[in-house]
Amino acid sequence: MKEASLVVVFISNGPGELATWVKPLAEKLHTKLLMQPKAKYSPVSLRLVLVPCPNATGNETKAARKWGDFEQITPPTNFWKLLLCPQKYGIWPNKGLVVFLGGDQFWSVLLSARLGYRHLTYAEWVARWPQWNDKIAAMSTKVMKRLPKRYRSRCTVVGDLMADLNNHAKEEQPLSKGTWVALMPGSKKAKLSVGVPFFLEVADILSTIIPECNFLLPIAPTTNIIEIQKFVSSNNPIASQYNTSIKTIAPQDKSNNLRKLITKQGTEIYLHEDPPAHNPLSQCHLALTTVGANTAELGALAVPMIVIVPTQHLYVMQAWDGVLGLIGRIPGLRRCIGLLISIWRMRKKGFLAWPNISAGRTIVPERVGIITPKEIATEAAQWLQSPERLKGQKEDLQNLRGKPGAVEAMSQEVIKLLPKSLIKL
């Protein structure tokens, strides 16, 4: 492969950002610029640098490699080494662009300064270092208004990158007819250890209330079905507190090419093992989900949801964001501190789901507390039996996201910062 004379570097962190920001933009740029590694003789290559983040699972590098979009991927464990000695991690041309797409914005500031590259930040809520950005691509006008006036000329509102998810989802095959419920227990071990047994028991109960229900379990890119099985086995102490287990994993169903997880009660749950699952998710009538990027993704797809945080297992819920998440992982004190942090977070009267945070009001129900699978199954049945309620929540989610086109607009901002002499459009 011919050595590229220009590098575009994406900086990101967790599974949510990779699936909903990084992948769509990477695919768009490959279409527009014919970059390496897909185009072997292109003067432009696309690379991914993953940064340290408490919300990461550790499997992001493996997930991103499957896409084949990046000439080089630097795992978060090598980030500081890359800063200190870039030449040990490949040849870095004199010209390039660093694009922030998740994590702490300061990491992209450091890397762009170290490499001597131009710098573009996608700002969802706030641009924290405008003085060190060549350009800021904002999700909304609110981001621009928060900037000091002297930096607003550097900012362009491109829109919400997730608003394009529904358009991409429509390109694939439809699910079979019927009522579909998505089960989204999370992507991190702390959430999965609670979510998998909890959600499987919900499915068992809900299938007795509404026998015609179909269930879909999208497997996150940072886990797999083998790990899912472990979370409902004796390897997970929490599993014993729930009346469910996995009987078998059935071969692919001819109607949709999806394997099935069958519980000991006989509930059939279709497995989507090729993330992202935007197409099948967009067709679901309701989703049951944990907090996190799932709520933003479902909101972008306008899928009605119930957000669930069972607090009876607080001592394992160390998957909080930012500094709190880091403190909750201190060895030796992990259990005690994790419990105290989680209790404190639960008592804060703030929203946990992205749609509610964004709207500043309740769009989707958040069920936080000592809750049981039976309670959630009963509530889910009530929603499914009330089409007007589902329609109302769906419309609220659609209105919240805004118009599609942000990925296209973001790609244009990237191209504007590249040397015109090195690219052919």
Side-chain angles (χ1 to χ4, degrees):
M1 182 178 289
K2 184 180 178 181
E3 199 65 50
S5 52
L6 174 66
V7 172
V8 177
V9 185
F10 284 3
I11 280 212
S12 195
N13 58 335
E17 290 79 3
L18 285 176
T20 58
W21 292 357
V22 170
K23 193 173 191 295
L25 184 59
E27 291 175 348
K28 178 67 72 172
L29 288 175
H30 273 296
T31 300
K32 287 180 171 290
L33 299 178
L34 301 176
M35 300 183 294
Q36 294 184 24
K38 293 185 177 180
K40 295 182 179 180
Y41 302 105
S42 172
V44 187
S45 76
L46 182 62
R47 301 182 187 181
L48 175 65
V49 173
L50 296 167
V51 294
C53 177
N55 297 316
T57 65
N59 295 320
E60 285 77 11
T61 303
K62 182 179 179 181
R65 280 189 182 133
K66 292 180 181 178
W67 301 336
D69 289 327
F70 305 101
E71 184 219 1
Q72 179 178 310
I73 300 175
T74 303
T77 51
N78 290 345
F79 178 71
W80 291 109
K81 297 175 183 177
L82 172 64
L83 278 179
L84 291 172
C85 194
Q87 61 269 26
K88 286 187 177 181
Y89 296 88
I91 297 173
W92 298 87
N94 293 329
K95 295 184 182 293
L97 173 67
V98 173
V99 183
F100 172 82
L101 291 169
D104 190 317
Q105 292 179 24
F106 192 60
W107 300 148
S108 60
V109 170
L110 288 177
L111 186 61
S112 61
R114 180 69 179 89
L115 297 174
Y117 288 178
R118 304 191 80 182
H119 185 205
L120 168 64
T121 291
Y122 176 66
E124 187 178 20
W125 307 112
V126 62
R128 302 189 183 282
W129 310 99
Q131 66 272 31
W132 290 323
N133 276 268
D134 291 281
K135 192 72 177 181
I136 297 164
M139 183 178 80
S140 67
T141 55
K142 292 179 181 178
V143 176
M144 181 180 286
K145 290 177 180 178
R146 289 177 179 174
L147 289 170
K149 290 184 179 180
R150 64 183 180 275
Y151 297 124
R152 289 181 186 175
S153 61
R154 302 183 186 183
C155 183
T156 298
V157 178
V158 297
D160 190 340
L161 292 178
M162 286 193 181
D164 287 354
L165 292 186
N166 232 335
N167 282 353
H168 297 152
K170 295 174 184 177
E171 298 172 0
E172 301 177 30
Q173 294 297 317
L175 293 172
S176 59
K177 293 182 179 179
T179 300
W180 284 86
V181 176
L183 307 174
M184 303 187 72
S187 57
K188 307 182 186 80
K189 182 178 179 180
K191 290 180 179 178
L192 290 168
S193 63
V194 178
V196 172
F198 188 100
F199 282 40
L200 291 190
E201 185 170 334
V202 170
D204 283 333
I205 299 170
L206 184 54
S207 65
T208 64
I209 303 173
I210 306 178
E212 64 271 21
C213 254
N214 296 304
F215 297 96
L216 176 75
L217 175 58
I219 306 297
T222 49
T223 186
N224 55 60
I225 188 56
I226 295 175
E227 290 186 351
I228 295 295
Q229 288 177 290
K230 289 180 181 178
F231 288 117
V232 201
S233 71
S234 58
N235 292 317
N236 179 18
I238 293 174
S240 63
Q241 300 180 41
Y242 293 92
N243 186 30
T244 190
S245 64
I246 297 174
K247 180 181 179 181
T248 188
I249 303 296
Q252 286 186 345
D253 191 297
K254 292 182 180 179
S255 64
N256 52 28
N257 295 321
L258 299 178
R259 291 201 293 171
K260 286 189 292 189
L261 179 160
I262 302 176
T263 70
K264 70 176 183 180
Q265 281 83 2
T267 306
E268 297 184 352
I269 301 171
Y270 288 92
L271 303 171
H272 190 282
E273 301 174 80
D274 185 22
H278 298 153
N279 170 253
L281 279 176
S282 68
Q283 300 172 62
C284 289
H285 296 80
L286 180 68
L288 307 178
T289 180
T290 58
V291 293
N294 283 352
T295 65
E297 189 173 357
L298 290 168
L301 295 169
V303 179
M305 70 188 90
I306 300 174
V307 181
I308 303 160
V309 183
T311 59
Q312 58 263 41
H313 308 295
L314 280 175
Y315 64 90
V316 299
M317 291 300 293
Q318 300 146 10
W320 301 115
D321 299 340
V323 176
L324 293 181
L326 289 172
I327 295 174
R329 292 171 176 78
I330 296 176
L333 300 179
R334 179 178 302 172
R335 183 184 179 96
C336 180
I337 293 178
L339 177 61
L340 293 175
I341 289 174
S342 297
I343 291 173
W344 176 76
R345 277 292 296 266
M346 290 299 100
R347 288 181 176 175
K348 286 180 64 181
K349 294 185 178 180
F351 293 117
L352 296 173
W354 178 90
N356 297 340
I357 295 170
S358 182
R361 63 185 179 90
T362 300
I363 298 287
V364 303
E366 297 180 3
R367 300 297 172 243
V368 182
I370 301 175
I371 50 181
T372 66
K374 184 177 180 180
E375 291 171 333
I376 297 302
T378 300
E379 182 174 4
Q382 291 170 350
W383 277 93
L384 292 170
Q385 292 165 348
S386 305
E388 288 303 314
R389 289 181 70 197
L390 288 174
K391 182 181 177 182
Q393 189 187 139
K394 190 177 188 72
E395 289 175 350
D396 284 342
L397 292 170
Q398 288 171 333
N399 293 333
L400 196 59
R401 267 301 172 190
K403 297 179 181 179
V407 174
E408 170 66 29
M410 184 69 179
S411 69
Q412 292 296 338
E413 294 304 315
V414 170
I415 292 169
K416 287 177 185 177
L417 292 174
L418 301 179
K420 300 298 182 289
S421 60
L422 294 177
I423 59 174
K424 294 181 181 180
L425 300 180

